[in-house]
Amino acid sequence: MNKFFKRSCALFICLLAASFVFAAEKSLGITSADVDNYIKNFSAINKEIDAMGFNDKGMEREPTKEEAQKRDEILKKYGISGPNRFDKMQRITQYSTQLDYCNGPKATKDQKDALRNNMNPSDLKVIEPKYKEALSAYNKYNGPAGSLFNFDIKEKLNLPSFDFKKKKKD
C-alpha cells in the first residue's frame, strides 16, 4: 500500500507540473486603455526608451534597476498602467503578431490552436479587437512584425530562383 501511495503521489505531482508548463500565460491585467495608449504612443515610447541606450547594449542582459525604473516612468507617462508595464507592452506586441499570423493564409489549424491555447484569455480578449491597429503602430516604428512568423526561408532571404533543367541543344 505504501508503494502504491508513493507512486500515486509522484504521478499526481508530475501531472500537476505538466499542467503548469502547458497552461496559458498568467494575465498581466492589460486594459483597453493600455492597448489604446500602446497604439497612440508606441513611437514616442520607443524613441524615449531607445534614447536611454539600453537597446544598444544588447538584450543579453537584464536592465539595471535604474534603467528599469526609467523605462517604467516612460511607460507610465504614456498611459500604460502598472504594474508590469514593460511586460504589457511586450505582450501586446506578441499577441498582435500571433493574431496576425493566425488570421493569415499560412497558418494551419494546429498552429492556430497552439498559439491561441498559450495566450491568456483575459489579455487576449482586450488585445484582439485592436490587434491590427497595434500591429500597425509597431510596424510604423520597427518594420513588419509579421516577418517573425514567416517560415518560408527562401522568401525571408529573398533568394533568386534557379532553373536547373538542362537546356536542349538544337
Side-chain angles (χ1 to χ4, degrees), residues 109-119:
K109 183 180 179 340
D110 289 341
Q111 290 170 330
K112 291 176 187 182
D113 291 344
L115 285 172
R116 284 187 172 274
N117 287 339
N118 287 321
M119 294 181 189

Side-chain angles (χ1 to χ4, degrees), residues 57-92:
K57 296 173 187 170
M59 301 305 273
E60 294 87 36
R61 65 169 182 81
E62 290 292 317
T64 64
K65 187 176 181 179
E66 293 80 23
E67 288 170 332
Q69 183 177 0
K70 176 68 177 160
R71 184 178 66 192
D72 195 61
E73 289 170 10
I74 292 167
L75 295 171
K76 182 179 179 181
K77 175 174 122 178
Y78 286 103
I80 306 300
S81 63
N84 304 317
R85 289 180 176 95
F86 187 72
D87 294 335
K88 287 181 177 185
M89 288 285 291
Q90 288 182 318
R91 177 148 312 159
I92 294 168

Side-chain angles (χ1 to χ4, degrees), residues 25-44:
E25 298 173 311
K26 180 182 173 196
S27 175
L28 294 176
I30 296 173
T31 66
S32 184
D34 290 331
V35 178
D36 290 340
N37 287 320
Y38 173 102
I39 294 165
K40 179 181 171 186
N41 301 312
F42 188 86
S43 290

Side-chain angles (χ1 to χ4, degrees), residues 73-138:
E73 289 170 10
I74 292 167
L75 295 171
K76 182 179 179 181
K77 175 174 122 178
Y78 286 103
I80 306 300
S81 63
N84 304 317
R85 289 180 176 95
F86 187 72
D87 294 335
K88 287 181 177 185
M89 288 285 291
Q90 288 182 318
R91 177 148 312 159
I92 294 168
T93 301
Q94 174 192 359
Y95 282 18
S96 296
T97 304
Q98 291 174 341
L99 286 165
D100 188 57
Y101 178 74
C102 284
N103 293 322
K106 292 185 179 184
T108 66
K109 183 180 179 340
D110 289 341
Q111 290 170 330
K112 291 176 187 182
D113 291 344
L115 285 172
R116 284 187 172 274
N117 287 339
N118 287 321
M119 294 181 189
N120 178 275
S122 298
D123 292 344
L124 177 62
K125 183 178 176 182
V126 176
I127 295 167
E128 190 165 22
K130 299 176 185 178
Y131 84 89
K132 288 182 181 180
E133 293 91 340
L135 195 59
S136 178
Y138 177 91

